[in-house]
Structures are given as C-alpha cells and as structure tokens.
Amino acid sequence: MLADFYRTVTVVERDILPDGPATRRGVAQGGLPHLPAARGTQIMNELFPGFVDELVAGGARVWNDGDLSRFWVSFGGHRFLRSGTIPDPDSISGYYVSRPFIEWSLRRRVLAISNVEIVQGHDAVRLTAVPKRDRVTGVVVARRDSGAETSLAADLVVDATGRGSRAPAFLDDLGYPRPCEDQLTVHVSYAGLPIHIPPGMLREYLAFSGPEPSRPVCFAMFAGENDTYRLAVQTVAGQKPPADRIALLDCLADMAPEHLLDAARRAEPLADMAHYRFPSNRWRRYDKLARTPDGLIVVGDALCSFNPLYGQGMSVAAIEALILRDCLQQGDRDLPRRFFRTSAKEVRVAWQAAVGSDLTLPQIAGKRPLSIRMINAYLDRVLAAAETDPAVVQQFMRSMNLVDPPSRLLRPSTMLRVLKKSRKRRVAGEATIVAGTTAPDRTRQDGTIGGYRDA
C-alpha cells in the first residue's frame, strides 16, 4: 500500500529471510496453527490481486461451499452443528494454509514491487527527528551480526515490529509521553507441531475446542497446504503446556473426538515441538496521546496484540493498512492523529471481542462489569443455538472472521432465532425435570434416581 504513495519503501527486517515457506525466529509462533480471518484474506487479495488463487495453486485448501461437516468446533462447551450447509455459502470463504506459506507468498509479491526494498538482518535502534522534535525524519538501524549502524532517512516511519515494539521508548527519547496501556493478563502457553495426515483420513479442515470454565485448556488442528496440519494445545492462566508429543496427545485425549485423536496419533511429525507464551492482551493507546510527532505510525501487534486464540492479529493489521491508505489519500497533514483515532474504532471491536471472551473464564483476573456479563450471557445463548441452527452458525462465523461487527449478532432476526432455540431448550429441560420428579421414588442399580444420575 505504501508503494502507491512514496517513491521508495524500505522494509527493515530483523531476520535473514528464508527462500521458501519456513518458520523463522522473528515469528516465534509461526509453526503453530494459524488461520487468517476471512476479512484479512479479502484485504490481502485486494492489495495483491490473485493472491488467494496463488494460495490454492500452492496447495491450500479452500472452504467456499458452506459445508459444515468440514468443521469440528466447540465454543464454551457448545458443539456446533456439523451437518448441512450455511444458508448463504457465498457469504464467507476460508483458506487453509500455514503461516510460513502465507508470509512467503506475500513476500514474493512485495519483492515484485519495483520501489520496495527489504533490508535484512537489521534492528531499528532509534528515531531521528528535526531539531524541534516535532517531526520524525528517519530511523537508525543496526546490523544484528556486527552492531554497525546506518541512518535511513524517511518521510514516514511505520513501526510494524510487533509486540516487542520500542516505539514508547523512542517517543520518550524525543520528549513525548509514552502511551497508556489497556491490558488483560491471560498467561497463555502453546505447545504444538506440524504433522502430515494421509489424504482422505480427515474430512475436517478445522478442529477446535475452546477453553471452558471447568477446563481452561483448548486444542486446535488446522489444515494446511499439501496434506499438512498444524496441531497445538493451549493452556490459560499459567498452566503448563505439554512438554512433548506424547504429553500433547494425552492432553488431546481429554478434548478431541476419537477420529481426530486417532488421526493425530497416526500422523507423521514434520518438526520438533514448538512452544510459545503470550502474557497478556495489550493495547497501547496512541489514540489518547495529546501529541505525537509527525512522520511516525504504529501498526499491528506494536499497536495492539490480542490473545492468539481468536485469530485476529493478521487481519487487524491488514485493516489498519487500509485505514492508513485512506488517511494518505487525504494527504499527510496531521497523519498520525487521524490514523490512530480511526484505527482505534476498528481495534476496539476486536479488543472487546477478545477480552470479553477471555473474561468468561474464572481463572482470568479482571473486572467484569454488567455490560460484559450481559454480553457473555447472550453469547452463551448464541453458541447454544449454533448447535442446531445453521443460520446462527453463519452469523457467528462472519463475526469471528471480522466480516461483520459483533453487533450483527444483535439483529432482530438473529436474536429471534437465538431466543426461539433457547426457549425450546428450556421447555425440553422442564419436560425432563417433570418426567424425573413425577416418577415413583426409586433408586436403580445404575446410580440414577428418578431418571437422573446421582451426581
């Protein structure tokens, strides 16, 4: 996007980039399950026309027929419908491919842009600015192998260095306040590996079981290119993840259905176990700063990083790229303020979804105001309706994939479906209670009393 507005674009990359789709140190979680949200993939395809076709040509699997049997999904203890199709299959598509393959494909397209250059093996160490320090004029970079420094002049510096961004310290050096931070500590840990599963063994492209209040552990197994899957277990609130493949499979046995567990056990490991830790959701509120220097933008995880469980990071970064494009189309006057305030509106939607979901777990410490409790109570009914209603599944998937805002789950038509399903479940429950309480008082040898197992 920047190449459309500037004579040259220089990308400063800390790693020496691989020639193909391989994990690398600068993306510590790259070997674990990743799935770009549908909106993120749409934006990638908009910026690089034909991008998704290249993914499919490279072996990615595509879900665009609405077939619900391609998923085994459980959220909050509610197992989604697995038969039939969603009402409007054209309303959402998914592309199943590994994170290294996505990066490699994007990198090839970027390198084909004539005015883009990648400087590899360098770190950004400080900003340069005009004497008044009200405008950034570039960045000083250092070679990772020798420490030798070079100054790169720029009309605009975009910090996309991720969660470890030093932009707050750079601002401090220039005499500006650091941004305040919104934060929710989750202490998430991942353990996983890529595996090869023979063709035809699994129908599912995605298998996922989210954490529950009684079990703050989850698993994911996502399809990738060329009969590969990424398998991982995630723990929450500081619990230790599995240390090796045997322990991972033992942990999986408590959550996964038998056919998925059997496929995972028979799969061929393609790499050693990878581990990744994520301490907290963190939003650096540059939008609340009274002043920032011109010529500096912060994007992606450097701006806001979410619990990876919800798959929002890559797509929110892509959304921010479009916001920056829209801001630049209006010129660069007051660019940082306009960008940060506009992006905050989009970030807030993803932030509230992630934090609200995390706070359903009692193991996560944090305030739970009435608004969050009410939303989570309604979402539990949405998830319950998704067990049997394909229209509710479709709307939930569109919201999770950032295609629609979560508020679309509150549309009257959706709420009516949710409440009808909730009423049917309640009536069915009452009927079962009546059947149990009106039966003669008796205790059976199987441990049930009046139709209920004695808990």
Side-chain angles (χ1 to χ4, degrees), residues 121-143:
H122 284 71
D123 284 320
V125 295
R126 62 183 176 276
L127 300 174
T128 58
V130 298
K132 291 174 61 177
R133 296 191 171 188
D134 59 352
R135 169 172 282 279
V136 170
T137 59
V139 60
V140 176
V141 300
R143 291 180 61 98

Side-chain angles (χ1 to χ4, degrees), residues 242-264:
D244 53 37
R245 181 170 173 263
I246 293 176
L248 185 148
L249 292 173
D250 288 343
C251 189
L252 202 66
D254 295 331
M255 298 177 282
E258 189 61 37
H259 74 287
L260 288 172
L261 181 61
D262 180 61

Side-chain angles (χ1 to χ4, degrees), residues 3-16:
D4 292 338
F5 294 90
Y6 293 89
R7 184 177 65 255
T8 60
V9 179
T10 303
V11 180
V12 179
E13 168 57 52
R14 56 155 286 167
D15 289 342
I16 301 298

